[in-house]
Amino acid sequence: MFATLRKLYDVMLRLLSLDRRLDEIKINQGLMLTELYRHKGSTVLSDYEFKVFSQWGEDGILQFLTGNIDIRNKTFIEFGVEDF
């Protein structure tokens, strides 16, 4: 019984490690997309959409807005849920 629990624990640790690595890959993808989109020159906000962690492309729009609007108080609050 203990050996089975230990194997399950080890599998869970590996899954958590993979989840962290996947998040790192997503963050790097967002950084690359931000840099690519920075010089787009479009006046259409939806042209800057991309999804890294968002559901509908708001990651790219938020990157565009925060990079192009002078924001005095830089506080971000997200309202939402994960897995409902």
Side-chain angles (χ1 to χ4, degrees):
M1 170 93 170
F2 181 76
T4 303
L5 288 175
R6 181 63 191 186
K7 286 180 185 178
L8 181 60
Y9 178 76
D10 289 342
V11 168
M12 289 176 60
L13 286 179
R14 281 185 285 187
L15 287 174
L16 287 172
S17 175
L18 287 173
D19 193 46
R20 281 191 297 266
R21 289 172 49 194
L22 181 59
D23 282 348
E24 289 174 9
I25 291 168
K26 286 180 176 183
I27 290 168
N28 287 331
Q29 177 192 22
L31 292 170
M32 289 187 291
L33 287 169
T34 298
E35 194 58 35
L36 284 171
Y37 284 27
R38 181 181 316 244
H39 307 290
K40 213 169 202 181
S42 176
T43 58
V44 179
L45 194 57
S46 63
D47 287 345
Y48 294 93
E49 289 181 1
F50 65 77
K51 296 184 275 185
V52 176
F53 292 102
S54 66
Q55 189 173 10
W56 305 106
E58 57 268 31
D59 289 332
I61 292 172
L62 287 170
Q63 282 292 342
F64 173 76
L65 292 174
T66 57
N68 290 288
I69 296 175
D70 185 30
I71 301 171
R72 233 187 278 168
N73 299 317
K74 297 188 178 202
T75 301
F76 181 82
I77 300 172
E78 179 178 359
F79 295 93
V81 296
E82 183 177 314
D83 298 335
F84 301 98

Coordinates of all heavy atoms in Angstrom, one line a residue:
M1 N 0.8 -1.2 0.0 CA 0.0 0.0 0.0 C 0.9 1.3 0.0 O 0.6 2.2 -0.7 CB -0.9 0.0 1.2 CG -1.6 1.2 1.5 SD -3.2 1.2 0.7 CE -4.0 2.6 1.4
F2 N 1.9 1.3 0.9 CA 2.8 2.4 0.9 C 3.5 2.6 -0.4 O 3.7 3.8 -0.8 CB 3.8 2.2 2.1 CG 4.7 3.4 2.2 CD1 4.3 4.6 2.8 CD2 6.0 3.3 1.7 CE1 5.1 5.7 2.9 CE2 6.9 4.4 1.8 CZ 6.4 5.6 2.4
A3 N 3.9 1.6 -1.1 CA 4.6 1.7 -2.3 C 3.7 2.3 -3.4 O 4.1 3.1 -4.2 CB 5.1 0.3 -2.8
T4 N 2.4 1.9 -3.4 CA 1.5 2.5 -4.3 C 1.3 4.0 -4.1 O 1.2 4.8 -5.0 CB 0.1 1.7 -4.2 OG1 0.4 0.3 -4.4 CG2 -0.9 2.2 -5.3
L5 N 1.1 4.3 -2.8 CA 1.0 5.8 -2.5 C 2.2 6.6 -2.9 O 2.1 7.7 -3.4 CB 0.7 5.9 -1.0 CG -0.7 5.5 -0.5 CD1 -0.8 5.6 1.0 CD2 -1.8 6.3 -1.2
R6 N 3.4 6.0 -2.7 CA 4.6 6.7 -3.0 C 4.7 6.9 -4.6 O 5.1 8.0 -5.0 CB 5.8 5.8 -2.6 CG 7.1 6.4 -2.9 CD 7.3 7.8 -2.2 NE 8.5 8.4 -2.7 CZ 8.9 9.6 -2.2 NH1 8.4 10.1 -1.2 NH2 10.0 10.1 -2.7
K7 N 4.3 5.9 -5.3 CA 4.3 6.0 -6.8 C 3.3 7.1 -7.2 O 3.6 7.9 -8.1 CB 3.9 4.7 -7.5 CG 5.0 3.7 -7.4 CD 4.6 2.4 -8.1 CE 5.6 1.3 -8.0 NZ 5.2 0.0 -8.6
L8 N 2.1 7.1 -6.6 CA 1.1 8.1 -6.9 C 1.7 9.5 -6.6 O 1.5 10.5 -7.4 CB -0.2 7.9 -6.2 CG -1.3 8.8 -6.4 CD1 -1.7 8.8 -7.9 CD2 -2.5 8.4 -5.5
Y9 N 2.3 9.7 -5.5 CA 2.9 10.9 -5.0 C 4.0 11.4 -6.1 O 4.0 12.5 -6.5 CB 3.5 10.8 -3.7 CG 4.2 12.0 -3.2 CD1 3.5 13.1 -2.7 CD2 5.6 12.1 -3.1 CE1 4.1 14.2 -2.2 CE2 6.3 13.2 -2.7 CZ 5.5 14.3 -2.2 OH 6.2 15.4 -1.8
D10 N 4.8 10.5 -6.5 CA 5.9 10.8 -7.5 C 5.3 11.2 -8.8 O 5.8 12.2 -9.4 CB 6.8 9.6 -7.7 CG 7.7 9.3 -6.5 OD1 7.8 10.2 -5.6 OD2 8.2 8.2 -6.4
V11 N 4.2 10.6 -9.2 CA 3.5 11.0 -10.5 C 3.0 12.4 -10.3 O 3.1 13.2 -11.2 CB 2.4 9.9 -10.8 CG1 1.6 10.5 -11.9 CG2 3.1 8.6 -11.2
M12 N 2.4 12.6 -9.2 CA 1.8 14.0 -9.0 C 2.9 15.0 -9.0 O 2.7 16.1 -9.5 CB 1.0 14.0 -7.7 CG -0.3 13.2 -7.7 SD -1.2 13.1 -6.1 CE -1.5 14.8 -5.8
L13 N 4.0 14.8 -8.4 CA 5.1 15.7 -8.4 C 5.6 16.0 -9.8 O 5.9 17.1 -10.2 CB 6.3 15.2 -7.6 CG 6.1 15.3 -6.0 CD1 7.3 14.8 -5.3 CD2 5.8 16.8 -5.6
R14 N 5.7 14.9 -10.6 CA 6.1 15.1 -12.0 C 5.1 15.9 -12.8 O 5.4 16.8 -13.6 CB 6.3 13.8 -12.7 CG 7.7 13.2 -12.3 CD 8.0 11.9 -13.0 NE 7.1 10.9 -12.4 CZ 7.1 9.6 -12.6 NH1 7.9 9.1 -13.5 NH2 6.3 8.8 -12.0
L15 N 3.8 15.7 -12.6 CA 2.8 16.5 -13.2 C 2.8 17.9 -12.9 O 2.6 18.8 -13.7 CB 1.4 15.9 -12.9 CG 1.0 14.6 -13.6 CD1 -0.3 14.0 -13.1 CD2 1.0 14.7 -15.1
L16 N 3.0 18.2 -11.6 CA 3.2 19.6 -11.2 C 4.4 20.3 -11.8 O 4.3 21.4 -12.2 CB 3.3 19.7 -9.6 CG 2.0 19.4 -8.9 CD1 2.3 19.3 -7.4 CD2 1.0 20.5 -9.2
S17 N 5.5 19.5 -11.9 CA 6.6 20.1 -12.6 C 6.4 20.4 -14.1 O 6.8 21.4 -14.6 CB 7.8 19.1 -12.5 OG 8.9 19.5 -13.2
L18 N 5.7 19.5 -14.7 CA 5.3 19.7 -16.1 C 4.4 20.9 -16.3 O 4.5 21.6 -17.2 CB 4.6 18.4 -16.7 CG 5.6 17.3 -17.0 CD1 4.7 16.0 -17.4 CD2 6.6 17.6 -18.1
D19 N 3.5 21.0 -15.3 CA 2.5 22.2 -15.4 C 3.3 23.5 -15.3 O 3.0 24.4 -16.0 CB 1.5 22.0 -14.3 CG 0.4 23.0 -14.4 OD1 -0.2 23.1 -15.5 OD2 0.0 23.6 -13.4
R20 N 4.3 23.6 -14.4 CA 5.1 24.8 -14.2 C 5.9 25.0 -15.5 O 6.0 26.2 -16.0 CB 6.0 24.6 -13.1 CG 5.4 24.9 -11.7 CD 6.4 25.0 -10.6 NE 7.1 23.8 -10.4 CZ 6.8 22.9 -9.5 NH1 5.8 23.0 -8.8 NH2 7.5 21.8 -9.4
R21 N 6.4 24.0 -16.1 CA 7.2 24.1 -17.3 C 6.3 24.6 -18.5 O 6.7 25.4 -19.3 CB 7.9 22.8 -17.7 CG 9.1 22.6 -16.7 CD 9.7 21.2 -16.8 NE 10.1 20.9 -18.2 CZ 10.4 19.7 -18.6 NH1 10.4 18.7 -17.7 NH2 10.7 19.4 -19.8
L22 N 5.1 24.1 -18.5 CA 4.2 24.5 -19.5 C 3.8 26.0 -19.4 O 3.8 26.8 -20.3 CB 2.9 23.7 -19.5 CG 1.8 24.0 -20.5 CD1 2.4 23.9 -22.0 CD2 0.6 23.1 -20.4
D23 N 3.6 26.5 -18.1 CA 3.4 27.9 -17.9 C 4.6 28.7 -18.3 O 4.4 29.8 -18.9 CB 3.1 28.1 -16.4 CG 1.7 27.7 -16.0 OD1 0.9 27.5 -16.9 OD2 1.5 27.7 -14.8
E24 N 5.8 28.3 -18.1 CA 7.0 29.0 -18.6 C 7.0 29.1 -20.1 O 7.3 30.2 -20.6 CB 8.3 28.3 -18.1 CG 8.5 28.4 -16.6 CD 9.7 27.6 -16.2 OE1 10.4 27.1 -17.0 OE2 9.9 27.5 -14.9
I25 N 6.6 28.0 -20.8 CA 6.6 28.1 -22.2 C 5.5 29.1 -22.7 O 5.7 29.9 -23.6 CB 6.3 26.7 -22.8 CG1 7.5 25.8 -22.6 CG2 5.9 26.7 -24.3 CD1 7.3 24.3 -22.8
K26 N 4.4 29.1 -22.0 CA 3.3 30.0 -22.4 C 3.7 31.4 -22.2 O 3.5 32.3 -23.0 CB 2.0 29.7 -21.6 CG 1.3 28.5 -22.0 CD 0.1 28.3 -21.1 CE -0.8 27.1 -21.6 NZ -2.0 27.0 -20.7
I27 N 4.4 31.7 -21.1 CA 4.9 33.1 -20.8 C 5.9 33.5 -21.9 O 5.8 34.6 -22.4 CB 5.5 33.2 -19.4 CG1 4.4 33.0 -18.4 CG2 6.3 34.5 -19.2 CD1 4.9 32.8 -17.0
N28 N 6.8 32.6 -22.3 CA 7.7 33.0 -23.3 C 7.0 33.2 -24.7 O 7.4 34.1 -25.4 CB 8.8 31.9 -23.5 CG 9.8 31.9 -22.3 OD1 10.0 33.0 -21.7 ND2 10.3 30.8 -22.0
Q29 N 6.0 32.4 -24.9 CA 5.2 32.6 -26.2 C 4.6 34.0 -26.1 O 4.6 34.7 -27.1 CB 4.1 31.5 -26.3 CG 3.2 31.7 -27.4 CD 2.0 30.8 -27.4 OE1 1.6 30.4 -26.3 NE2 1.4 30.6 -28.5
G30 N 4.0 34.4 -25.0 CA 3.4 35.7 -24.8 C 4.4 36.8 -25.1 O 4.1 37.8 -25.7
L31 N 5.6 36.6 -24.5 CA 6.7 37.6 -24.8 C 7.0 37.8 -26.2 O 7.2 38.9 -26.7 CB 7.9 37.3 -23.9 CG 7.8 37.4 -22.4 CD1 9.0 36.8 -21.8 CD2 7.6 38.8 -22.0
M32 N 7.1 36.7 -26.9 CA 7.4 36.7 -28.4 C 6.3 37.3 -29.2 O 6.6 38.2 -30.0 CB 7.7 35.3 -28.9 CG 9.0 34.7 -28.4 SD 9.5 33.1 -29.1 CE 8.3 32.1 -28.4
L33 N 5.1 37.0 -28.8 CA 3.9 37.6 -29.6 C 3.8 39.1 -29.3 O 3.5 39.8 -30.2 CB 2.6 36.8 -29.2 CG 2.5 35.4 -29.7 CD1 1.3 34.7 -29.1 CD2 2.3 35.5 -31.2
T34 N 4.1 39.5 -28.0 CA 4.1 40.9 -27.7 C 5.1 41.6 -28.6 O 4.8 42.7 -29.1 CB 4.4 41.1 -26.2 OG1 3.4 40.4 -25.4 CG2 4.4 42.5 -25.9
E35 N 6.3 41.1 -28.7 CA 7.3 41.8 -29.5 C 6.9 41.8 -31.0 O 7.1 42.8 -31.6 CB 8.6 41.1 -29.3 CG 9.8 41.9 -29.8 CD 10.0 43.2 -29.1 OE1 9.7 43.4 -28.0 OE2 10.4 44.2 -29.9
L36 N 6.4 40.7 -31.5 CA 5.9 40.7 -32.9 C 4.8 41.7 -33.2 O 4.8 42.4 -34.2 CB 5.5 39.3 -33.3 CG 6.6 38.3 -33.5 CD1 5.9 36.9 -33.7 CD2 7.4 38.6 -34.8
Y37 N 3.9 41.8 -32.2 CA 2.7 42.7 -32.4 C 3.0 44.1 -32.1 O 2.3 45.0 -32.6 CB 1.6 42.2 -31.5 CG 0.8 41.0 -32.0 CD1 1.5 40.0 -32.8 CD2 -0.5 40.7 -31.7 CE1 0.8 38.9 -33.3 CE2 -1.1 39.6 -32.1 CZ -0.5 38.7 -32.9 OH -1.2 37.6 -33.3
R38 N 4.1 44.4 -31.4 CA 4.4 45.8 -31.0 C 4.5 46.7 -32.2 O 4.2 47.9 -32.2 CB 5.7 45.8 -30.3 CG 6.1 47.1 -29.8 CD 7.5 47.0 -29.0 NE 7.4 45.9 -28.1 CZ 7.5 45.9 -26.8 NH1 7.6 47.1 -26.2 NH2 7.4 44.8 -26.1
H39 N 5.0 46.2 -33.3 CA 5.3 47.0 -34.5 C 4.2 46.8 -35.6 O 4.5 47.2 -36.8 CB 6.7 46.7 -35.1 CG 7.8 46.9 -34.0 ND1 8.1 48.1 -33.5 CD2 8.5 45.9 -33.4 CE1 9.1 47.9 -32.6 NE2 9.3 46.6 -32.5
K40 N 3.1 46.3 -35.3 CA 2.1 46.0 -36.2 C 1.5 47.3 -36.9 O 1.2 47.3 -38.1 CB 1.0 45.3 -35.6 CG 0.3 44.3 -36.4 CD -0.6 43.4 -35.6 CE -0.8 42.1 -36.4 NZ -1.7 41.2 -35.7
G41 N 1.3 48.3 -36.2 CA 0.9 49.6 -36.7 C -0.6 49.6 -37.1 O -1.1 50.5 -37.8
S42 N -1.4 48.7 -36.6 CA -2.8 48.7 -36.9 C -3.6 49.6 -36.0 O -3.2 49.9 -34.9 CB -3.3 47.2 -36.8 OG -4.7 47.2 -37.0
T43 N -4.7 50.1 -36.5 CA -5.6 50.9 -35.7 C -6.8 50.1 -35.2 O -7.7 50.6 -34.5 CB -6.1 52.2 -36.4 OG1 -6.8 51.7 -37.6 CG2 -4.9 53.1 -36.8
V44 N -6.8 48.8 -35.5 CA -7.9 48.0 -35.1 C -7.5 47.2 -33.9 O -6.5 46.4 -34.0 CB -8.3 47.0 -36.3 CG1 -9.5 46.1 -35.8 CG2 -8.7 47.8 -37.5
L45 N -8.1 47.3 -32.8 CA -7.7 46.7 -31.5 C -7.7 45.2 -31.6 O -6.8 44.5 -31.1 CB -8.7 47.1 -30.4 CG -8.3 46.9 -29.0 CD1 -6.9 47.5 -28.7 CD2 -9.3 47.4 -28.0
S46 N -8.7 44.6 -32.3 CA -8.7 43.1 -32.5 C -7.5 42.6 -33.2 O -7.3 41.4 -33.1 CB -10.0 42.7 -33.1 OG -10.1 43.2 -34.4
D47 N -6.8 43.4 -33.9 CA -5.6 42.9 -34.6 C -4.5 42.5 -33.6 O -3.5 41.9 -34.0 CB -5.0 43.9 -35.6 CG -5.9 44.1 -36.8 OD1 -6.7 43.2 -37.1 OD2 -5.7 45.1 -37.5
Y48 N -4.6 42.9 -32.4 CA -3.6 42.7 -31.4 C -4.0 41.5 -30.5 O -3.2 41.2 -29.5 CB -3.3 43.9 -30.5 CG -2.7 45.0 -31.4 CD1 -3.5 46.0 -32.0 CD2 -1.4 45.1 -31.6 CE1 -3.0 47.0 -32.8 CE2 -0.8 46.0 -32.4 CZ -1.6 47.0 -33.0 OH -1.1 47.9 -33.8
E49 N -5.1 40.8 -30.7 CA -5.5 39.7 -29.9 C -4.5 38.5 -30.0 O -4.1 38.2 -31.1 CB -6.9 39.2 -30.3 CG -8.0 40.1 -30.0 CD -9.3 39.5 -30.5 OE1 -9.4 38.4 -31.0 OE2 -10.4 40.2 -30.3
F50 N -4.2 38.0 -28.9 CA -3.6 36.7 -28.8 C -3.9 36.0 -27.5 O -4.2 36.7 -26.5 CB -2.0 36.7 -29.1 CG -1.2 37.4 -28.1 CD1 -0.8 36.8 -26.9 CD2 -0.7 38.7 -28.4 CE1 0.0 37.5 -26.0 CE2 0.2 39.3 -27.6 CZ 0.5 38.7 -26.3
K51 N -3.9 34.7 -27.4 CA -4.2 34.0 -26.2 C -3.0 33.3 -25.7 O -2.4 32.5 -26.4 CB -5.3 33.0 -26.5 CG -6.6 33.6 -26.9 CD -7.7 32.5 -27.1 CE -7.6 31.9 -28.4 NZ -8.6 30.9 -28.7
V52 N -2.7 33.5 -24.5 CA -1.7 32.7 -23.8 C -2.4 32.1 -22.6 O -2.4 30.9 -22.5 CB -0.5 33.6 -23.3 CG1 0.5 32.7 -22.5 CG2 0.2 34.2 -24.5
F53 N -2.9 32.9 -21.7 CA -3.7 32.4 -20.6 C -5.1 32.8 -20.7 O -6.0 32.3 -19.9 CB -3.1 32.9 -19.2 CG -1.7 32.3 -18.9 CD1 -0.6 33.1 -19.1 CD2 -1.6 31.1 -18.4 CE1 0.7 32.6 -18.8 CE2 -0.4 30.5 -18.1 CZ 0.8 31.3 -18.3
S54 N -5.5 33.7 -21.5 CA -6.8 34.2 -21.7 C -7.7 33.2 -22.5 O -7.1 32.4 -23.2 CB -6.9 35.6 -22.3 OG -6.4 35.6 -23.6
Q55 N -8.9 33.5 -22.5 CA -9.8 32.6 -23.3 C -10.2 33.2 -24.7 O -10.4 32.5 -25.6 CB -11.1 32.4 -22.5 CG -12.1 31.4 -23.1 CD -13.2 31.1 -22.1 OE1 -13.4 31.8 -21.1 NE2 -14.0 30.1 -22.4
W56 N -10.2 34.5 -24.8 CA -10.7 35.2 -26.0 C -9.7 36.1 -26.7 O -10.1 36.9 -27.5 CB -12.0 35.9 -25.7 CG -13.0 35.0 -25.1 CD1 -13.4 35.0 -23.8 CD2 -13.8 34.0 -25.7 NE1 -14.4 34.1 -23.6 CE2 -14.6 33.4 -24.8 CE3 -13.8 33.5 -27.0 CZ2 -15.5 32.4 -25.0 CZ3 -14.7 32.5 -27.3 CH2 -15.5 31.9 -26.3
G57 N -8.4 36.1 -26.3 CA -7.5 36.9 -26.9 C -7.2 38.2 -26.2 O -6.4 39.1 -26.7
E58 N -7.7 38.3 -25.0 CA -7.5 39.6 -24.2 C -6.0 39.7 -23.7 O -5.6 40.8 -23.4 CB -8.5 39.7 -23.1 CG -8.5 38.6 -22.1 CD -9.5 37.5 -22.4 OE1 -9.8 37.2 -23.6 OE2 -10.0 36.9 -21.4
D59 N -5.2 38.7 -23.7 CA -3.8 38.8 -23.3 C -3.1 39.8 -24.3 O -2.4 40.7 -23.8 CB -3.1 37.5 -23.4 CG -3.5 36.5 -22.3 OD1 -3.9 36.9 -21.2 OD2 -3.4 35.3 -22.6
G60 N -3.3 39.7 -25.5 CA -2.7 40.5 -26.5 C -3.2 42.0 -26.4 O -2.5 42.9 -26.5
I61 N -4.5 42.1 -26.2 CA -5.1 43.4 -26.1 C -4.6 44.1 -24.9 O -4.3 45.3 -25.0 CB -6.7 43.3 -26.2 CG1 -7.2 42.9 -27.5 CG2 -7.3 44.7 -25.8 CD1 -8.6 42.5 -27.6
L62 N -4.6 43.4 -23.8 CA -4.0 44.1 -22.6 C -2.6 44.5 -22.7 O -2.1 45.5 -22.3 CB -4.2 43.1 -21.4 CG -5.6 43.0 -20.8 CD1 -5.7 41.8 -19.8 CD2 -6.1 44.3 -20.2
Q63 N -1.8 43.6 -23.4 CA -0.4 44.0 -23.7 C -0.3 45.2 -24.5 O 0.5 46.1 -24.3 CB 0.4 42.8 -24.4 CG 0.7 41.7 -23.5 CD 1.8 42.1 -22.5 OE1 2.5 43.1 -22.6 NE2 2.0 41.3 -21.4
F64 N -1.1 45.3 -25.5 CA -1.1 46.5 -26.4 C -1.5 47.7 -25.6 O -0.9 48.8 -25.7 CB -2.1 46.3 -27.6 CG -2.3 47.5 -28.4 CD1 -1.3 47.9 -29.3 CD2 -3.4 48.3 -28.3 CE1 -1.4 49.0 -30.1 CE2 -3.6 49.4 -29.1 CZ -2.6 49.8 -29.9
L65 N -2.6 47.6 -24.9 CA -3.1 48.8 -24.1 C -2.1 49.3 -23.1 O -1.8 50.5 -23.0 CB -4.4 48.5 -23.5 CG -5.6 48.3 -24.4 CD1 -6.9 47.9 -23.7 CD2 -5.9 49.6 -25.2
T66 N -1.5 48.4 -22.3 CA -0.6 48.8 -21.3 C 0.7 49.3 -21.9 O 1.4 50.1 -21.2 CB -0.3 47.6 -20.3 OG1 0.2 46.5 -21.0 CG2 -1.6 47.3 -19.5
G67 N 1.0 48.9 -23.1 CA 2.2 49.4 -23.7 C 2.1 50.7 -24.4 O 3.0 51.4 -24.8
N68 N 0.8 51.1 -24.7 CA 0.6 52.3 -25.4 C -0.2 53.4 -24.7 O -0.4 54.5 -25.3 CB -0.2 52.0 -26.7 CG 0.7 51.2 -27.7 OD1 1.6 51.8 -28.3 ND2 0.5 49.9 -27.8
I69 N -0.7 53.1 -23.5 CA -1.4 54.1 -22.7 C -0.6 54.5 -21.5 O -0.1 53.6 -20.8 CB -2.8 53.6 -22.3 CG1 -3.6 53.3 -23.6 CG2 -3.5 54.5 -21.4 CD1 -5.0 52.7 -23.3
D70 N -0.5 55.8 -21.2 CA 0.2 56.2 -20.0 C -0.7 55.9 -18.8 O -1.7 56.5 -18.7 CB 0.6 57.7 -20.1 CG 1.4 58.1 -18.9 OD1 2.2 57.3 -18.4 OD2 1.3 59.3 -18.5
I71 N -0.3 55.0 -18.0 CA -1.1 54.6 -16.8 C -0.3 55.0 -15.6 O 0.8 54.6 -15.3 CB -1.3 53.0 -16.8 CG1 -2.0 52.6 -18.1 CG2 -2.1 52.6 -15.6 CD1 -2.0 51.1 -18.3
R72 N -1.0 55.9 -14.8 CA -0.4 56.5 -13.6 C -0.3 55.4 -12.5 O 0.8 55.2 -11.9 CB -1.2 57.7 -13.1 CG -0.3 58.9 -12.9 CD -1.0 60.0 -12.3 NE -1.8 60.7 -13.4 CZ -2.7 61.6 -13.1 NH1 -3.0 61.9 -11.9 NH2 -3.4 62.2 -14.1
N73 N -1.4 54.8 -12.2 CA -1.4 53.8 -11.1 C -1.5 52.4 -11.7 O -2.5 52.0 -12.1 CB -2.6 54.1 -10.2 CG -2.6 55.4 -9.5 OD1 -1.5 55.8 -9.1 ND2 -3.7 56.1 -9.5
K74 N -0.4 51.7 -11.7 CA -0.3 50.4 -12.4 C -0.7 49.3 -11.5 O 0.1 48.6 -10.9 CB 1.1 50.2 -12.9 CG 1.5 51.2 -14.0 CD 2.7 50.9 -14.7 CE 3.0 52.0 -15.7 NZ 3.9 51.6 -16.7
T75 N -2.1 49.2 -11.3 CA -2.6 48.1 -10.6 C -3.6 47.3 -11.5 O -4.4 47.9 -12.2 CB -3.4 48.6 -9.4 OG1 -2.6 49.4 -8.5 CG2 -4.1 47.5 -8.6
F76 N -3.5 46.0 -11.5 CA -4.3 45.2 -12.3 C -5.1 44.2 -11.5 O -4.6 43.6 -10.6 CB -3.5 44.4 -13.3 CG -4.3 43.5 -14.3 CD1 -4.9 44.1 -15.4 CD2 -4.5 42.2 -14.0 CE1 -5.7 43.3 -16.2 CE2 -5.3 41.4 -14.8 CZ -5.8 42.0 -16.0
I77 N -6.4 44.2 -11.7 CA -7.3 43.3 -10.9 C -8.1 42.5 -12.0 O -8.7 43.0 -12.8 CB -8.3 44.0 -10.0 CG1 -7.5 44.9 -9.0 CG2 -9.2 43.1 -9.3 CD1 -8.4 45.8 -8.2
E78 N -8.0 41.2 -11.8 CA -8.7 40.3 -12.7 C -9.9 39.7 -12.0 O -9.7 39.2 -10.9 CB -7.8 39.2 -13.3 CG -8.6 38.3 -14.2 CD -7.7 37.2 -14.8 OE1 -6.5 37.2 -14.5 OE2 -8.2 36.4 -15.6
F79 N -11.1 39.7 -12.6 CA -12.2 39.1 -12.1 C -12.5 37.9 -13.0 O -12.7 38.0 -14.2 CB -13.4 40.0 -12.0 CG -13.3 41.2 -11.1 CD1 -12.8 42.4 -11.6 CD2 -13.6 41.0 -9.8 CE1 -12.6 43.4 -10.7 CE2 -13.4 42.1 -8.9 CZ -12.9 43.3 -9.4
G80 N -12.5 36.7 -12.4 CA -12.8 35.5 -13.2 C -12.6 34.3 -12.4 O -12.3 34.4 -11.2
V81 N -12.8 33.2 -13.0 CA -12.7 31.9 -12.3 C -12.0 30.9 -13.1 O -11.9 31.1 -14.4 CB -14.1 31.3 -11.9 CG1 -14.8 32.2 -11.0 CG2 -15.0 31.1 -13.2
E82 N -11.5 29.9 -12.5 CA -10.8 28.8 -13.2 C -11.7 27.6 -13.1 O -12.0 27.2 -12.0 CB -9.4 28.6 -12.7 CG -8.7 27.5 -13.5 CD -7.3 27.3 -13.0 OE1 -6.6 28.3 -12.8 OE2 -6.9 26.2 -12.8
D83 N -12.0 27.0 -14.1 CA -12.8 25.8 -14.1 C -14.2 26.0 -13.5 O -14.8 25.1 -13.0 CB -12.1 24.6 -13.4 CG -10.8 24.2 -14.1 OD1 -10.7 24.5 -15.3 OD2 -9.9 23.7 -13.4
F84 N -14.7 27.2 -13.5 CA -16.0 27.6 -13.0 C -16.3 27.0 -11.7 O -17.3 26.6 -11.3 CB -17.1 27.2 -14.0 CG -16.8 27.9 -15.3 CD1 -16.2 27.3 -16.4 CD2 -17.2 29.2 -15.5 CE1 -16.0 27.9 -17.6 CE2 -17.0 29.9 -16.7 CZ -16.4 29.3 -17.7

